[in-house]
Amino acid sequence: MRKNVIAANWKMNTLPKEGVEIANKINHYLADKELPVNKKIVLGVPYTHLIKVVDTVDYTKIAVAAQNCSQFESGAYTGEVSAAMIKSCGAQYVIIGHSERRQYFGDTDEVISQKLSQAYKNALFPIFCCGETLRQREENVHFKVVENQLVSAFIRVDRFNFERTIIAYEPVWAIGTGVTATPEQAQEMHIFIRNVIAKIYGHDVADQTSILYGGSVNGANAKSLFECDDIDGGLVGGASLKPDEFIKIIESI
Ligand code: PEP
């Protein structure tokens, strides 16, 4: 089912106690609200917070995500955290292919494809990020770049697993910059992404896929983005650390 999803990405911010406070506020806000079955709230938290945040929130309303996982199953990979470990903490989602991972930690298309496999094997729902840099947009290769990211990630993924996946379009130039893509720019890319998915899996699957926009979403701009036909929610960084702002974003969908 095509879901409306508001997902937080706390990145490497907050100590566990502060993270639990944020989670508590979101949980409290949702306590007396009926969430439609097609609406999901996901908190993407640091590994060290997973168990505490899972224990804090009402799992019928809020799911928890890790922000990365290892491409390996287990073994001598000092410092890595496996998809199975994430799952065992009670998390249901994992963010894969975030541009900060691609940029700073060597997450190539091949590594990202291996991470997706680990997520599927361990019954996690991946939130797969794609998006172009400013230079790529200026050079007018942004559609090609995003298409290549999608094709290389999913060409070996079967339909059953793909249907567990959420896509997040995150133009790199909009992440943490305060510069948001206009609703027109975002919608144009979201339709393009849906068409790429349709070419791989068919229109039925593409129509049911949730495609989130990420990049400087806040309480003031969320509604105009979420009103676009092909924008099914947001992946929210900075604003997700401010509970009142994040709640405004939740209310915008
Ligand atoms: C992100 O990190 O995924 C993100 C979209 O960050 P921000 O909302 O701060 O731009």
Side-chain angles (χ1 to χ4, degrees), residues 9 11 98 100 170 174-177 214-217 235-239:
N9 176 13
K11 312 193 190 201
H98 192 282
E100 288 153 13
E170 298 209 305
I175 296 181
T177 58
S216 298
V217 175
L235 178 54
V236 185

Side-chain angles (χ1 to χ4, degrees), residues 27 51 131 137 249:
N27 200 47
I51 290 176
R137 182 163 275 263
I249 297 170

Side-chain angles (χ1 to χ4, degrees), residues 42 47 64-70 83 86 91-96 115-116 118-120 124-128 166:
V42 182
Y47 292 135
V64 178
Q67 301 168 15
N68 180 39
C69 69
S70 174
I86 292 166
Q92 296 178 51
Y93 289 78
V94 58
I95 299 172
I96 292 181
K115 290 184 175 189
L116 282 168
Q118 288 301 320
Y120 295 131
L124 290 167
F125 296 95
I127 301 176
F128 170 81
I166 292 172

